[in-house]
């Protein structure tokens, strides 16, 4: 038997690869060419338990009651409301035109009665169906009927999911929804049901100006009363800067009052860790703005005093912050400006979660900073390096894990190499030239 040449084998391999690629591009015969969009999810805390779902981890879930058609809800294409994956039972799904007809008929039935049914665990599914399958016109109509009631809806076990969907799919109504939350943002963050609604709105769907609406209550009543909600584009751009924009051009005494209110509100959040609000990006942003604003105070001793007080308030929950961009910055700030005792306390809090931190894009930056600023090599070896090395077999399979492993090999993270003094030459230059 004649063995094919390498050129023939290579050509055959390329042809097979093209066939596989062409097959992978063809839609599944049952999916009718529909592709499922990538749904945004909130970043997961490194302290979260892996084998159980957190009560606040689902950013777009439905009412939690047991139901036979629960799987049907998870297969819906949410972005444009016109595609749906085929049922697993092999049944032929309704064409888009027929489905839209059913949605319009359903909307005509509940029009004017939306508020009466959204609080019921079974009837609220009707409204969610319209928001999921309907067009923008139906979604806006539902949002208009519920105007003025979003704060109450967000605190209900079943209707909170509808509020999250409307925040996501009704951008023209989003600002008015968030303005309804604004007077009681802190109370809603500590509410069992409403906290996930605010967290999703801030981290996933709101733009810079809409985030500033939610953050405003953290700054205290004085900042809330004298901050413009609507106005010119120049005024909105100033508000988008957050706390820095509010403190821009004000006197020192007013800065102290605003910072005092912000510190008091943050302390209220940190004193209730069981409510789950300390893991949310909105709290981390407020804390990061507070630490940044301290540099605007005239006295360095006052800055250090306030930073120290805030560290002592939140030092036990720092592991709950490292998974977000602003939370990671906060912990790195404490590492960089803290004392050796502070760094030891931070590493003690983070030690049980080192492996999870190595696999998180934001959290691993905290580990890199700890390697850079901690002088105690014995502490680093015991609390950080040994944990990363022990987890190496599970880390090298991911990009983030490999990055964490390679950070240990950086020259600037290794202790300085101590070489013996170079011996003095025994021969003079003249003797060396003579040979």
């Amino acid at each position: 038997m004649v063995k094919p040449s390498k050129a023939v084998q290579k050509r055959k391999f390329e042809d097979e690869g093209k066939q596989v690629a062409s097959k992978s591009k063809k839609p599944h015969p049952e999916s009718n060419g529909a592709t499922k969009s990538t749904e945004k999810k909130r970043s997961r805390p490194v302290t979260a338990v892996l084998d159980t779902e957190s009560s606040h981890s689902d950013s777009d879930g439905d009412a939690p009651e047991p139901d036979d058609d629960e799987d049907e809800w998870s297969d819906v294409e949410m972005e444009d409301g016109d595609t749906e994956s085929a049922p697993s039972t092999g049944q032929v799904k309704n064409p888009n035109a027929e489905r839209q007809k059913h949605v319009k008929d359903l909307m005509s039935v509940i029009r004017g009665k939306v508020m009466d049914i959204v609080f019921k665990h079974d009837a609220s599914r009707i409204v969610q169906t319209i928001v999921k399958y309907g067009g923008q016109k139906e979604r806006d109509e539902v949002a208009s009927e519920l105007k003025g009631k979003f704060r109450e809806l967000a605190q209900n076990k079943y209707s909170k999911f509808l509020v999250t969907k409307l925040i996501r799919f009704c951008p023209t109504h989003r600002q008015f929804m968030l303005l309804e939350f604004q007077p009681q943002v802190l109370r809603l963050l500590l509410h069992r049901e409403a906290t996930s609604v605010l967290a999703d709105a801030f981290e996933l769907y709101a733009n810079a100006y809409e985030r500033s609406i939610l953050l405003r209550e953290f700054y205290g009543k004085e900042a809330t009363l004298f901050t413009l909600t609507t106005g010119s584009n120049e005024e909105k751009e100033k508000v988008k800067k957050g706390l820095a924009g509010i403190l821009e051009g004000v006197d020192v005494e007013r800065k102290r009052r605003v910072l005092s209110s912000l510190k008091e509100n943050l302390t209220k959040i940190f004193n209730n860790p069981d409510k789950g609000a300390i893991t949310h990006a909105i709290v981390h942003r407020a804390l990061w703005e507070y630490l940044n604003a301290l540099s605007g105070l005239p006295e360095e001793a006052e800055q250090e005093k306030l930073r120290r007080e805030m560290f002592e308030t939140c030092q036990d929950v720092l592991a709950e912050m490292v998974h977000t961009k602003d939370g990671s910055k906060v912990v790195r700030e404490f590492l960089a400006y803290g004392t050796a005792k502070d760094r030891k306390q931070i590493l003690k809090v983070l030690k049980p979660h080192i492996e999870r931190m190595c696999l998180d894009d934001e959290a691993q930056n905290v580990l890199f900073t700890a390697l850079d600023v901690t002088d105690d090599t014995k502490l680093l070896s015991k609390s950080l390096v040994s944990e990363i090395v022990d987890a190496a077999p599970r880390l090298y399979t991911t990009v983030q894990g490999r990055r964490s492993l390679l950070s240990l090999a950086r020259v600037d993270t290794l202790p300085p190499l101590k070489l013996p003094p170079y011996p003095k030459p025994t021969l003079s230059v003249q003797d060396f030239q003579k040979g």
Side-chain angles (χ1 to χ4, degrees), residues 304-355:
E304 184 59 33
K305 176 177 176 292
L306 294 176
R307 184 181 290 108
R308 160 66 49 186
E309 291 175 353
M310 182 55 66
F311 172 74
E312 292 175 352
T313 302
C314 63
Q315 60 180 344
D316 294 330
V317 294
L318 292 179
E320 306 279 358
M321 305 182 190
V322 294
H323 62 285
T324 66
K325 184 177 181 180
D326 294 311
S328 175
K329 290 179 180 178
V330 167
V331 183
R332 288 149 60 192
E333 176 97 350
F334 286 140
L335 281 169
Y337 285 91
T339 63
K341 185 178 179 180
D342 296 338
R343 298 188 187 107
K344 183 177 181 179
Q345 172 63 24
I346 294 174
L347 290 178
K348 179 182 178 181
V349 173
L350 299 180
K351 185 178 179 181
H353 314 288
I354 295 297
E355 182 177 348

Side-chain angles (χ1 to χ4, degrees), residues 184-233:
Q184 297 188 18
V185 167
L186 293 173
R187 189 178 70 82
L188 294 175
L189 279 173
L190 296 175
H191 191 275
R192 177 182 177 182
E193 309 298 342
T195 184
S196 60
V197 177
L198 292 183
D200 289 342
F202 183 87
E203 188 171 350
L204 302 180
Y205 309 126
N207 56 35
Y209 178 70
E210 291 162 350
R211 290 192 185 104
S212 69
I213 294 175
L214 294 176
L215 282 167
R216 206 167 297 160
E217 197 191 352
F218 278 92
Y219 309 147
K221 293 182 179 180
E222 182 178 357
T224 303
L225 290 174
F226 293 97
T227 302
L228 293 175
T229 300
T230 57
S232 64
N233 292 332

Side-chain angles (χ1 to χ4, degrees), residues 355-402:
E355 182 177 348
R356 294 283 298 277
M357 292 176 65
C358 290
L359 299 173
D360 188 275
D361 288 318
E362 297 297 341
Q364 64 180 198
N365 288 329
V366 175
L367 302 181
F368 302 157
T369 302
L371 288 171
D372 287 338
V373 302
T374 305
D375 297 328
D376 191 341
T377 54
K378 184 177 180 180
L379 175 64
L380 276 180
S381 177
K382 183 179 179 181
S383 302
L384 189 59
V385 177
S386 61
E387 296 289 333
I388 298 177
V389 173
D390 292 343
R394 298 178 294 277
L395 296 179
Y396 80 95
T397 57
T398 64
V399 175
Q400 293 84 357
R402 290 193 291 272

Side-chain angles (χ1 to χ4, degrees), residues 236-252:
K236 285 188 175 182
E237 288 298 324
K238 184 178 180 180
V239 173
K240 286 180 183 179
K241 298 178 182 178
L243 184 61
I246 291 176
L247 298 181
E248 189 176 315
V250 302
D251 58 272
V252 177

